[in-house]
Amino acid sequence: MKRITCLLLLSSMLLFSCNKNSEANIVLDGTYAGTFTRVGMVLTEPVPVQIRFTGKSFTGESDKSRHPDICNGEFAITGDSVNFKNACVFPADFDWSLILEGKYRISSTGDSLTISRMYVGIIGYSDTYRLKKQ
């Protein structure tokens, strides 16, 4: 009886741990529009953004200057992460953490996409892009 219970428990855990929308199968192609939000000591208002993905390249912009600064470059998806390599040159007079650059967590549901990153330090904060395919 214990074996059956253990097998049922194990198979239930495996069944529910499987993600039907596996992030490893995310293919980014097309234009996505939505918002960027930074959460931390101060919650910023959502800023409208648009990002276009073509092959392994991206380009984009936001409605607010340098918040965030998306510009353009290349990206690669590995598992539930996306790594952006921005090709633009940026001035030194603003918060460089607002540049779409580096490793983010990515998830998708239908035509919606969430790209997020948490920063750890004295003051923790996170950035989230909530996008929908156009």
Side-chain angles (χ1 to χ4, degrees), residues 29 40 46 101:
D29 189 39
E101 171 77 25

Side-chain angles (χ1 to χ4, degrees), residues 4-5 9 11 14 26 35-37 44 46 48 53 57 76 98 101 104-105 107 113 115 117-118 125-126 132:
I4 293 173
T5 304
L9 182 60
S11 61
L14 288 173
I26 294 175
T35 60
F36 166 83
T37 306
T44 63
F53 297 98
S57 299
L98 290 167
E101 171 77 25
Y104 291 75
R105 185 169 177 4
S107 63
L113 186 65
I115 301 171
R117 169 168 63 182
M118 292 191 70
Y125 59 94
S126 65
K132 186 168 184 158

Side-chain angles (χ1 to χ4, degrees), residues 11-75:
S11 61
S12 296
M13 287 172 51
L14 288 173
L15 178 65
F16 289 112
S17 69
C18 293
N19 186 350
K20 292 180 184 176
N21 254 348
S22 175
E23 287 85 0
N25 295 328
I26 294 175
V27 176
L28 297 179
D29 189 39
T31 301
Y32 290 78
T35 60
F36 166 83
T37 306
R38 173 165 280 179
V39 176
M41 291 296 285
V42 176
L43 173 64
T44 63
E45 292 292 320
V47 177
V49 295
Q50 185 174 35
I51 305 174
R52 287 172 296 288
F53 297 98
T54 306
K56 297 198 179 283
S57 299
F58 73 91
T59 185
E61 59 274 336
S62 71
D63 282 4
K64 187 174 179 181
S65 178
R66 300 180 180 175
H67 189 88
D69 211 332
I70 300 170
C71 205
N72 65 69
E74 296 182 344
F75 71 94

